[in-house]
């Protein structure tokens, strides 16, 4: 018991547990025996408790435990904004995904330099005239086959004596076109089609097979009433030496194909065709044109893994509103083959000229034309600066989100700088994909091209910088889907204005808009020009307006 004297000579008693007495130092005990001022009569015990807690190692262990638990909770629930991913990276919000995974290295450097590349002001441009879709005039898919076609189908799908094998070559979109024609040729010959063999691409070394790119079972199911599709030759024909031929005849008609191959395939049982690219006539009977559309737009669906990732990237692009897709043709081989120059620098122009001199066979056509003549004739791809100027003149807002498809441009990402400066929301599939998502498709050019195709086809506005199989295929697909806005650059007429530096900006824009008024994806009759591909211009054979019947395909 400790005794303390007060100023009034009265005794006061304070009870202190014995364990505290034993743990106190002599100095602390003396301070307890000395009487404090009246106003502090209640404070010594509180101060004492704080001092004791401060010196107690158990208190420190408890404090460390509390902070440790709190820290783990923060990491688990992804509370800290400096931590990019939570426990499940796929569960993060789309907004955060675009910031964390949607910016390319070039864009991040723009952010560091103070250029705004993201924000909530995107939605303000959704009402821009640029996003307005063309009038589709009520056209919708319509694949109504004739009664004669349907009657002939019964015997064709039952036949077990004739088999057509085909080898298709080139890039993914080139192979796709050949597969469409292979189905039509099989129908003309009344033969079953063995799943097409994809020739190994010598440029990219891609060994992908049909089922790696396309959904094989879906392909068979959709065409089961038109052409029988088999995965391999049956045992009755597997030892047969196939009759092999190259289709060298251009614009081959059904009559030509029957006269050349019908008797031989009945005799041999198996026909193997190569070199199908652009050999079959573009002007076929109506039912066969419809079959082309059925194959291109219904049967040739991409394999589930490709479709799943392509749709994910589409959702990420659309997370903040509409977007533009560009198919940029700026690779080295494109500049060499077209006889054009990239305009990046004197060194790059010399590189292309030297390559063309070394391999003149690469030049596709019109070797007697100069580069300037080719440019004015509209035969050259647009470079990044020209694409940016065209988009600006057509009213694309600076905040427009752009997805670009295509191979690595000559000059690397620096070749794209003029575009990125004007439109900093600039992404490709590598920018949008989460870590590891593209890994199963790496080093397989056809699969990577298929992902580009999906995101581009689903865009609100699509524009190719140059013609080509992919641009034509996507144009047709978008027309068949309801004539979604597709800008076809009028290069032949616009380049002279591009080169006129004295033209005022407002006048330049007015001219460019006028030149493209009828090149925005409006319905266009295939029959208005000869030898147009129905898979690029599906009206009128494959699409009907509201006054005509629709099919259930």
């Amino acid at each position: 018991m400790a005794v303390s004297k007060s100023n009034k000579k009265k005794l006061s008693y304070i009870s202190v547990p014995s364990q505290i007495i034993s743990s106190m130092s002599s100095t602390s005990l003396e301070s307890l025996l000395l009487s404090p001022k009246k106003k502090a009569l209640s404070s010594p015990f509180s101060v004492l408790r704080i001092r004791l807690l401060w010196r107690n190692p158990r208190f420190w262990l408890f404090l460390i435990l509390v902070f440790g638990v709190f820290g783990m909770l923060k990491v688990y629930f992804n509370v800290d904004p400096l931590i990019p991913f939570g426990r499940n990276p796929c569960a993060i919000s789309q907004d955060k995904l675009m910031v964390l995974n949607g910016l390319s290295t070039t864009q991040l450097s723009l952010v560091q330099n103070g250029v705004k590349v993201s924000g909530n002001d995107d939605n303000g441009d959704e009402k821009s005239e640029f996003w307005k879709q063309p009038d589709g005039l009520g056209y919708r898919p319509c694949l109504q086959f004739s009664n004669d076609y349907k009657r002939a189908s019964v015997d064709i799908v039952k036949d077990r004596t004739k088999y057509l094998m085909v080898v298709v070559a080139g890039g993914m979109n080139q192979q796709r076109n050949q597969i469409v024609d292979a189905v039509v040729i099989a129908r003309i010959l009344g033969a079953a089609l063995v799943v097409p063999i994809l020739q190994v691409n010598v440029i990219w070394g891609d060994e992908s097979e049909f089922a790696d790119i396309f959904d094989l079972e879906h392909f068979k199911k959709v065409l089961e009433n038109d052409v029988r599709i088999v995965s391999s030759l049956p045992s009755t024909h597997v030892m047969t030496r196939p009759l092999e031929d190259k289709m060298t005849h251009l614009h081959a008609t059904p009559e030509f194909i029957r006269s050349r191959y019908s008797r031989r395939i009945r005799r041999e049982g198996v026909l193997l065709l190569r070199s199908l690219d652009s050999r079959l006539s573009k002007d076929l009977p109506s039912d066969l044109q419809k079959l082309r559309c059925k194959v291109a737009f219904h049967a040739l669906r991409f394999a589930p893994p490709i479709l799943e990732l392509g749709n994910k990237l589409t959702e990420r692009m659309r997370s903040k509103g509409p977007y533009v897709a560009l198919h940029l043709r700026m690779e080295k081989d494109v500049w060499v083959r077209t006889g054009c120059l990239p305009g990046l620098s004197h060194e790059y122009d010399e590189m292309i000229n030297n390559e063309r001199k070394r391999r003149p066979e690469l030049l596709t056509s019109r070797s007697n034309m100069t580069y300037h003549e080719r440019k004015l004739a509209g035969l050259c791809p647009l470079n990044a600066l020209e694409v940016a100027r065209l988009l600006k003149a057509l009213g694309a807002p600076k905040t427009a989100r752009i997805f670009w498809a295509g191979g690595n441009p000559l000059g690397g990402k620096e070749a794209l700088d003029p575009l990125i400066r004007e439109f900093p929301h600039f992404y490709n599939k590598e920018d949008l994909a989460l870590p590891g998502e593209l890994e199963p498709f790496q080093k397989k050019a056809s699969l990577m091209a298929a992902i580009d195709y999906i995101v581009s086809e689903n865009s609100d506005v699509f524009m190719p910088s140059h013609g080509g199989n992919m641009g034509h295929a996507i144009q047709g697909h978008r027309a068949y889907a309801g004539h979604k806005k597709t800008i076809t650059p009028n290069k032949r007429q616009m380049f002279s204005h591009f080169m006129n530096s004295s033209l005022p900006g407002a006048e330049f824009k007015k001219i460019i808009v006028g030149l493209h008024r009828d090149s925005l994806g409006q319905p266009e009759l295939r029959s208005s020009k000869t030898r147009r591909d129905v898979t690029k211009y599906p009206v009128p054979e494959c699409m009907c307006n509201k006054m005509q019947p629709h099919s259930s395909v």
Side-chain angles (χ1 to χ4, degrees):
M1 190 82 65
V3 181
S4 175
K5 292 182 180 182
S6 69
N7 291 336
K8 294 183 180 182
K9 304 298 183 180
K10 291 183 180 181
L11 297 178
S12 297
Y13 298 90
I14 301 173
S15 297
V16 181
S18 59
Q19 59 266 36
I20 293 180
I21 294 290
S22 61
S23 65
M24 291 173 63
S25 65
S26 59
T27 305
S28 300
L29 190 56
E30 287 173 4
S31 66
L32 187 61
L33 292 174
L34 296 176
S35 178
K37 300 291 183 183
K38 186 175 181 180
K39 61 182 179 181
L41 282 174
S42 61
S43 63
F45 189 67
S46 298
V47 173
L48 182 62
R49 289 181 65 184
I50 294 172
R51 288 181 177 177
L52 290 175
L53 283 173
W54 191 261
R55 297 184 180 209
N56 192 335
R58 292 182 179 180
F59 169 75
W60 287 107
L61 288 173
F62 176 76
L63 198 63
I64 292 172
L65 179 64
V66 169
F67 276 104
V69 171
F70 181 73
M72 286 188 290
L73 287 174
K74 287 181 75 178
V75 172
Y76 184 87
F77 290 106
N78 198 20
V79 176
D80 194 336
L82 296 178
I83 300 174
F85 298 112
R87 195 177 173 197
N88 180 8
C90 295
I92 62 178
S93 69
Q94 289 292 346
D95 289 354
K96 193 167 186 180
L97 176 66
M98 297 311 297
V99 174
L100 296 174
N101 295 293
L103 296 181
S104 64
T105 306
T106 309
Q107 289 170 299
L108 288 174
S109 67
L110 289 172
V111 172
Q112 293 165 358
N113 291 327
V115 178
K116 187 175 182 181
V117 298
S118 62
N120 296 326
D121 59 346
D122 289 2
N123 296 331
D125 290 308
E126 288 185 28
K127 297 180 181 180
S128 167
E129 189 75 13
F130 178 76
W131 304 111
K132 184 179 179 181
Q133 296 297 310
D135 183 1
L137 302 179
Y139 279 104
R140 294 291 182 269
C142 176
L143 300 181
Q144 200 78 308
F145 292 93
S146 69
N147 290 330
D148 288 343
Y149 181 93
K150 294 175 183 177
R151 281 192 293 268
S153 297
V154 177
D155 293 331
I156 289 174
V157 298
K158 285 182 179 179
D159 186 86
R160 299 293 187 274
T161 62
K162 303 186 293 293
Y163 294 87
L164 174 64
M165 300 176 67
V166 296
V167 178
V168 298
M172 188 275 293
N173 290 288
Q174 197 173 358
Q175 292 174 339
R176 198 171 181 274
N177 293 339
Q178 293 171 57
I179 293 169
V180 171
D181 284 355
V183 173
V184 175
I185 293 171
R187 172 76 191 199
I188 292 170
L189 295 174
L193 177 66
V194 181
V195 173
I197 301 166
L198 275 56
Q199 184 173 310
V200 176
N201 194 297
V202 294
I203 298 176
W204 298 291
D206 189 346
E207 298 182 359
S208 299
E209 298 181 357
F210 185 97
D212 296 324
I213 305 172
F214 303 105
D215 187 333
L216 178 56
E217 294 308 313
H218 177 80
F219 183 70
K220 292 179 178 180
K221 180 69 177 176
V222 170
L223 297 174
E224 63 183 359
N225 294 323
D226 303 277
V227 173
R228 193 165 69 93
I229 309 295
V230 297
S231 297
S232 59
L233 288 172
S235 57
T236 53
H237 290 68
V238 73
M239 298 302 292
T240 304
R241 182 184 179 90
L243 171 67
E244 185 172 345
D245 195 12
K246 288 185 178 182
M247 282 195 65
T248 56
H249 187 80
L250 289 174
H251 315 300
T253 63
E255 292 74 22
F256 172 84
I257 290 171
R258 291 191 189 100
S259 64
R260 185 175 178 88
Y261 299 116
S262 287
R263 183 180 301 176
R264 298 158 75 181
I265 195 173
R266 281 198 299 267
R267 183 178 66 246
E268 303 294 339
V270 181
L271 171 64
L272 172 62
L273 290 181
R274 300 178 183 269
S275 305
L276 298 183
D277 193 25
S278 299
R279 302 301 176 185
L280 188 60
S281 173
K282 304 299 182 188
D283 301 310
L284 296 175
S286 178
D287 284 326
L288 295 181
Q289 296 288 57
K290 287 178 169 61
L291 180 57
R292 267 180 163 157
C293 291
K294 188 174 182 179
V295 180
F297 304 134
H298 295 275
L300 281 176
R301 186 172 71 184
F302 290 115
I306 297 173
L307 199 59
E308 181 182 1
L309 181 56
N311 288 334
K312 281 182 180 179
L313 300 190
T314 297
E315 291 170 7
R316 292 168 193 171
M317 278 302 301
R318 204 180 292 285
S319 64
K320 290 187 179 180
Y323 70 95
V324 188
L326 301 176
H327 184 219
L328 301 179
R329 303 301 310 278
M330 298 167 58
E331 304 94 319
K332 179 182 176 181
D333 70 293
V334 174
W335 296 116
V336 173
R337 292 176 186 276
T338 57
C340 301
L341 298 176
L344 296 172
S345 67
H346 176 72
E347 288 74 19
Y348 281 115
D349 288 350
E350 280 298 305
M351 178 194 302
I352 296 301
N353 279 325
N354 292 336
E355 182 73 12
R356 196 176 295 132
K357 290 175 183 176
R358 191 173 66 86
R359 301 184 64 187
E361 73 278 4
L362 294 179
L363 191 59
T364 49
S365 64
R366 306 188 189 183
S367 57
N368 59 329
M369 295 178 69
T370 66
Y371 160 61
H372 186 71
E373 290 170 338
R374 287 175 178 274
K375 191 86 170 174
L376 291 177
L379 299 175
C380 292
L382 299 178
N383 60 31
L385 178 59
E386 291 160 348
V387 171
R389 291 188 68 190
L390 178 56
L391 287 175
K392 283 183 65 179
L394 293 175
K398 189 175 183 66
T399 53
R401 302 164 65 74
I402 294 180
F403 174 83
W404 71 277
N408 293 325
L410 178 67
K413 285 290 184 72
E414 291 182 3
L416 301 174
D417 281 351
L419 250 173
I420 298 173
R421 281 196 296 269
E422 292 295 338
F423 301 99
H425 299 263
F426 198 75
Y427 313 94
N428 64 1
K429 55 184 173 292
E430 285 80 8
D431 297 322
L432 296 171
L434 293 173
E437 280 187 321
L438 284 175
E439 189 174 342
F441 311 102
Q442 295 289 357
K443 298 182 180 180
K444 296 181 179 179
S446 294
L447 276 59
M448 296 289 267
I451 295 170
D452 277 344
Y453 188 104
I454 293 169
V455 185
S456 298
E457 198 279 318
N458 286 328
S459 66
D460 299 270
V461 178
F462 172 71
M463 187 179 85
S465 68
H466 191 55
N469 291 303
M470 180 168 171
H472 293 167
I474 292 177
Q475 177 182 333
H477 215 139
R478 291 172 65 82
Y480 193 76
H483 291 93
K484 296 190 289 185
K485 187 170 184 177
T486 302
I487 302 170
T488 304
N490 190 341
K491 293 183 290 183
R492 185 188 296 271
Q493 296 186 46
M494 76 182 191
F495 269 131
S496 60
H497 303 292
F498 271 55
M499 296 175 182
N500 185 357
S501 58
S502 63
L503 195 64
E507 183 66 18
F508 173 77
K509 180 176 180 179
K510 182 180 178 181
I511 292 172
I512 296 302
V513 169
L515 290 176
H516 293 85
R517 201 175 302 280
D518 297 323
S519 303
L520 303 177
Q522 300 94 329
E524 191 173 351
L525 295 180
R526 187 190 72 85
S527 54
S528 63
K529 291 184 180 179
T530 59
R531 292 177 181 172
R532 276 184 164 182
D533 193 336
V534 72
T535 59
K536 184 181 179 183
Y537 300 96
V539 177
E541 288 95 341
C542 301
M543 300 188 76
C544 315
N545 63 21
K546 57 187 175 183
M547 301 300 295
Q548 294 174 279
H550 291 69
S551 79
S552 58
V553 176

